[in-house]
Amino acid sequence: MNRILLLEDDLSLIRGLSFALNKQGFEIEIARTIKEAEECWRKGRYNLLILDVSLPDGCGFDLCKMVRKESEVPIIFLTASDEEMNIIMGLDIGGDDYITKPFKLGVLISRVNALLRRTKSNEKNDTELVSNGIKINLLQAQVYKNGEQIDLTTGEYKLLCLFIQNPNIVLTKEQILQRLWDCDANYIDSSTLTVYIRRLRMKVENNPSEPEIILTVRGMGYKWNENIG
């Protein structure tokens, strides 16, 4: 069962959130002040935090800063202000999401579930990368396309990992070359990169002559086109 720490001082909101979250199968721990929340955090383990921003003894941002020194647990802020600076501040200090009061309980539940799914996915991705039917087992350095293992050279493997870790982002040739610099000081030049790209396309594209996954962005570099359908 997922455990959630709720930091909120509004009794009516506490009752509504507790009922809705319990109904969804979550275990809720409630704190009404920063001090209480700090004590709960030190004693318990939580899968997600929901923090009100304005509390009687301080700000939910302060608790977030403390938590972020030791944990990447997902954090949602509840705020009565929709001012852009407050939202930016909350995200910059480590918050994962925010919701502005008043809000519908169903919206908050959806945000909670989305963050928990993302966290579970990220934990899985610590050992594997998956995109466009390509799966990389990072622990064993094995690559699969549609369930069948494919063989890559060291350079091709490093290039594929770089692309999948940066989906839909244009990577310049300079950025790619910097990452592919051989640990034995063998410089990989632009011509070699072109060869790597061509060979990698031969192994991961369904039609290498008309690539849909590894795209050339003219005058800039290359892009891994994720979720091509």
Side-chain angles (χ1 to χ4, degrees):
M1 179 182 293
N2 286 312
R3 299 188 71 233
I4 295 177
L5 173 60
L6 170 62
L7 172 58
E8 173 59 59
D9 65 327
D10 186 319
L11 286 176
S12 61
L13 187 53
I14 289 173
R15 286 193 290 267
L17 286 173
S18 298
F19 176 80
L21 291 168
N22 283 326
K23 190 175 180 181
Q24 294 294 317
F26 297 111
E27 181 181 343
I28 311 301
E29 185 85 17
I30 298 170
R32 298 187 61 193
T33 65
I34 297 292
K35 183 178 180 181
E36 289 180 4
E38 290 176 348
E39 292 175 353
C40 290
W41 174 255
R42 284 193 291 267
K43 295 178 182 178
R45 295 178 62 86
Y46 303 95
N47 302 99
L48 183 140
L49 308 185
I50 300 175
L51 309 180
D52 190 10
V53 172
S54 299
L55 283 305
D57 61 339
C59 176
F61 290 163
D62 296 327
L63 182 67
C64 176
K65 292 176 183 177
M66 183 199 78
V67 169
R68 280 292 175 257
K69 292 179 181 179
E70 55 189 73
S71 173
E72 293 299 320
V73 62
I75 294 176
I76 297 177
F77 286 116
L78 302 181
T79 173
S81 172
D82 60 356
E83 292 184 5
E84 183 178 358
M85 287 305 299
N86 285 337
I87 293 171
I88 292 174
M89 182 183 300
L91 298 178
D92 282 350
I93 64 174
D96 296 280
D97 201 353
Y98 72 91
I99 189 165
T100 304
K101 301 176 182 178
F103 55 85
K104 294 182 178 179
L105 290 175
V107 173
L108 178 63
I109 297 297
S110 294
R111 300 278 186 91
V112 167
N113 286 328
L115 271 178
L116 291 174
R117 284 195 303 269
R118 188 188 311 167
T119 301
K120 185 176 180 180
S121 175
N122 287 341
E123 290 173 351
K124 183 178 181 181
N125 287 340
D126 287 340
T127 58
E128 70 177 33
L129 300 173
V130 180
S131 179
N132 293 330
I134 305 296
K135 182 173 75 173
I136 303 175
N137 184 320
L138 297 173
L139 295 179
Q140 299 177 351
Q142 294 177 336
V143 180
Y144 299 85
K145 177 183 178 182
N146 299 326
E148 295 186 6
Q149 187 171 351
I150 58 176
D151 294 325
L152 301 180
T153 65
T154 300
E156 292 165 356
Y157 176 81
K158 291 169 65 176
L159 181 59
L160 180 61
C161 289
L162 177 61
F163 276 135
I164 295 183
Q165 289 170 333
N166 296 274
N168 300 319
I169 296 174
V170 177
L171 298 174
T172 66
K173 291 183 179 181
E174 291 73 19
Q175 289 174 320
I176 297 173
L177 291 171
Q178 185 177 19
R179 292 290 296 271
L180 296 186
W181 188 291
D182 193 287
C183 61
D184 295 325
N186 295 318
Y187 183 67
I188 300 174
D189 60 19
S190 182
S191 297
T192 305
L193 174 59
T194 301
V195 174
Y196 280 174
I197 293 289
R198 184 173 67 251
R199 289 179 176 174
L200 188 57
R201 280 173 171 161
M202 293 292 294
K203 297 177 181 180
V204 303
E205 296 277 3
N206 293 324
N207 184 359
S209 61
E210 296 181 5
E212 295 181 309
I213 301 175
I214 303 175
L215 304 180
T216 300
V217 182
R218 191 175 300 278
M220 298 181 66
Y222 300 95
K223 179 177 73 173
W224 180 269
N225 183 28
E226 189 173 54
N227 298 325
I228 61 174

